Every structure is written in structure tokens, then in C-alpha cells.
Amino acid sequence: AVRLCRGRALLSRLRGAPRALRGLAAGPEMHFGFQSVTEEERREKIYQVFESVAKKYDVMNDSMTLGIHRVWKDILVHKMNPCPGTLLLDVAGGTGDIAFRFINYVRSVRDRQLRMKLKHHQSLSWQEIFENYQEDKFNSLGDSQVVVCDINREMLKAGKQKAQHLGYSEGLSWVLGNAEELPFDDDKFDVYTIAFGIRNVTRIDLALQEAYRVLKPGGRFLCLEFSHVSNPLLSRLYDLYSFQVIPVLGEVIAGDWRSYQYLVESIRQFPPQEELKAMIEDAGFFRVDYENLNFGIVAIHSGFKL
């Protein structure tokens, strides 16, 4: 809470900051794609974007990335390497992609542990093995929990419907909340993830401070986000695809050109890898690093609260 108050006091002092500081300090104007808007206008416009695209969000992700976003999210969860008992907070995770992968991963680890345990108890009768297996199988997550927190009601609604359709219920909860002011106690979670969400946060510095606050000492921060391409030729091809194809897909599939034009523009306005790394360190995290995927089309940033 003290950290949040300091952040807000800093914001008020920087209201009149020069234009060069606005990207980090949240002055009176901010980027909404390539537009300059006020902080409140940006929040409202981003909310409207995701309210508009929620029902077609998963289909558009597959179309825009040719399905590769699924691989990126798999890599994120494997990098997390959660074990039974892990408490995960997935912020801006409305449609549940990270949460469902987390549950599948923990179930797989739990099942391997159970099989190894039974393998080392050769003296047990068939009935005892069966009873032990059935008992442990009912607790397939080993007390693991994932909390999905999203600011947008429509995205949460889409995620809940998807969870119901796919049969996910155990160890999963949904919370309406703002990444810049999370509705959770200090030192609560083992892992904090945000996948393709931090780009749309109005005050990235406050969101990072909140991530630090809600993590337990020793907890891990993981961020998957579109980033800056390192290869010049690929960068030009990527720009051509982004600006000429993605908005058209948005219009054809979701009936929404403008929202996907914003999403493309927001990627270009997002801080490059080294700058985001410095912001994560400024929030208090240690051992901060990042891994570029597909030449930096996306990057996974990682840090620890020590």
C-alpha cells in the first residue's frame, strides 16, 4: 500500500513533466496506438477494444499468429515449471489460455509423482494400489490454484464459458481486477504471469509494483509480450504483415478493423526488451532477464522477488 501511495504521489508530481518523460512517467498525454490521448481516455479506449474483441479473441489470435501463440504460451508455462501446490496469479488472462495450460502441466507432474510413488511400493496389494491411486487422483492438482484476474468483464465471461466447455473447474477462480491496483493481499502468490496484457496497461510502472507486492518472497514474475524484432529484413516483413493483413483479418473475422489496427500500433509503441527489463528491475525484481522468441517478435521477461 505504501508503494502504491508513493507511485501515485510520483504521478501527481510528474503531471507537468516534459514530453520526453511521458513514456515512463505517465504525463497528461499517453499513447493509444499512434494517437495521443489522456490517461483516462486511454483506459476507456482499451476497455472498449477488449469488450469488442472478447468473443472472437481466441479465433483472432490463431489467425493473426498462424497458431504460433499457442507454442509461445506453452514455452511460458514450461519456463515457469510449476509443481503441485503452486499458487499462480494470471493477470489480464481473461480467456484462460495460461490458466488451462498451468492446470494441465501441474496435473501431469502430479500424475508422474503418483506413478513413481506407487512404483516404489511393490509390496502393496492391487486393492491398496487402486485405492491410493483413486484417492490421489481426486486431488490431481496437489492443492495448486490459479487465479485469473482481468479488468474486462467480457473477457472474463468468455474465459468462464471456455472453462466450462473444456471441463476446467478444480483449482480455478476468476476475479475482476485492475493490474495497477490488484485486489489481493501482500506476499500471496508463488508466481505472477501476464501474457499479452502488459502492453495494454496504462501505467506499466504501477502494474509492476503491484506484481512485486502480491508475490511471496522468492516468487517469480513472468511476462510474455510482443516485442521488437532484431532482424532488419524480418522486421520489414513483419511490419508489412502487421499493418496490411492483421486489420483486414480483424474486419473479416471480428467485424472490427479499428481494434486490430490499435493492437498493431500498440506493439510498435511498447518499450523494447532492454527498456522493459530496466522497468522490471526498478520495480524491485532481481535476476531479471528475457528470452526472445522468433527473433524478438515476442519475448518472455522473468524476475524474482527476493
Side-chain angles (χ1 to χ4, degrees), residues 50-272:
F50 285 93
E51 192 170 57
S52 172
V53 305
K55 291 180 181 178
K56 296 289 185 178
Y57 186 77
D58 288 331
V59 175
M60 276 301 300
N61 278 347
D62 282 332
S63 302
M64 288 189 302
T65 70
L66 306 177
I68 299 173
H69 76 101
R70 296 172 180 266
V71 177
W72 295 333
K73 291 167 182 172
D74 287 341
I75 293 171
L76 177 71
V77 174
H78 277 82
K79 194 175 182 75
M80 183 197 315
N81 191 24
C83 59
T86 299
L87 183 57
L88 168 66
L89 174 63
D90 183 38
V91 175
T95 57
D97 274 4
I98 301 301
F100 303 153
R101 282 169 169 78
F102 169 82
I103 289 171
N104 291 344
Y105 194 97
V106 172
R107 281 176 175 168
S108 176
V109 172
R110 177 77 170 164
D111 189 61
R112 286 199 303 272
Q113 290 178 345
L114 176 57
R115 291 176 186 276
M116 289 297 295
K117 173 185 169 184
L118 294 177
K119 189 176 180 180
H120 287 91
H121 286 78
Q122 300 290 344
S123 60
L124 293 178
S125 68
W126 173 86
Q127 184 66 27
E128 288 171 324
I129 291 173
F130 177 79
E131 288 173 356
N132 282 337
Y133 186 80
Q134 291 299 315
E135 180 182 339
D136 284 343
K137 199 172 181 182
F138 281 121
N139 188 17
S140 63
L141 291 177
D143 298 322
S144 290
Q145 294 279 332
V146 52
V147 178
V148 179
C149 180
D150 201 294
I151 197 171
N152 192 287
R153 292 181 186 277
E154 287 301 312
M155 292 291 283
L156 284 173
K157 181 179 177 183
K160 289 177 183 178
Q161 290 172 345
K162 188 173 164 186
Q164 186 175 17
H165 175 71
L166 296 174
Y168 292 99
S169 58
E170 180 193 4
L172 176 62
S173 57
W174 308 84
V175 175
L176 185 70
N178 185 347
E180 299 169 41
E181 196 166 358
L182 293 169
F184 306 109
D185 294 336
D186 295 357
D187 306 328
K188 183 175 178 65
F189 296 95
D190 300 302
V191 183
Y192 172 113
T193 53
I194 183 165
F196 303 116
I198 203 165
R199 187 179 78 257
N200 302 302
V201 170
T202 301
R203 289 287 310 277
I204 294 174
D205 57 341
L206 288 184
L208 292 172
Q209 289 172 18
E210 279 291 87
Y212 187 90
R213 179 183 67 79
V214 301
L215 279 170
K216 298 174 183 176
R220 191 174 190 185
F221 168 87
L222 286 165
C223 170
L224 171 64
E225 188 54 85
F226 288 108
S227 201
H228 290 249
V229 179
S230 55
N231 182 290
L233 176 59
L234 179 59
S235 180
R236 286 195 292 272
L237 293 172
Y238 180 48
D239 280 348
L240 184 65
Y241 174 76
S242 297
F243 287 100
Q244 300 299 322
V245 177
I246 289 178
V248 175
L249 288 174
E251 181 64 31
V252 171
I253 295 173
D256 192 341
W257 177 294
R258 187 173 297 178
S259 292
Y260 286 96
Q261 181 70 26
Y262 155 73
L263 291 175
V264 170
E265 292 175 359
S266 69
I267 294 169
R268 301 315 184 276
Q269 298 287 10
F270 190 67

Side-chain angles (χ1 to χ4, degrees), residues 276-291:
L276 181 60
K277 178 184 176 184
M279 295 174 74
I280 296 168
E281 289 172 337
D282 287 345
F285 288 100
F286 290 85
R287 292 185 58 194
V288 178
D289 62 12
Y290 60 86
E291 176 185 358

